[in-house]
Amino acid sequence: FLRGQGLTNGNRVAFNEVNLDKPTAPFKADADVTPETLATAHLLRDSRNPVVILGRGELNVALKIHAHRVTAGAKAKIEKAGGSVDLIA
């Protein structure tokens, strides 16, 4: 512990945050949205980090989303649009 330096968790995980208004543009209806397809669409900052789907925006297309984390609001909007959510371990 050094003076002026705070304690930081060495096990902190930095997630790639993707909102629902982002992935609808490059994907067609009933498409699989995986971390790899998000990386090829240039929607991730760092493809080595896990992906979390956030609920900002509306989803009008049914998508099959595979992500490491999904918020409750995002999951409700995805299922309301006719899509599905699969969590990656």
Side-chain angles (χ1 to χ4, degrees), residues 20-75:
L20 286 180
D21 55 0
K22 296 290 181 182
T24 57
F27 299 107
K28 304 287 185 205
D30 215 25
D32 283 331
V33 179
T34 63
E36 292 81 18
T37 57
L38 289 171
T40 57
H42 303 292
L43 294 173
L44 300 180
R45 290 182 187 212
D46 187 1
S47 61
R48 297 171 293 183
N49 292 341
V51 176
V52 60
I53 305 295
L54 304 177
R56 185 187 76 196
E58 291 297 323
L59 188 66
N60 299 326
V61 179
L63 298 174
K64 298 174 190 170
I65 298 191
H66 306 279
H68 297 93
R69 278 180 42 191
V70 179
T71 62
K75 184 175 181 179

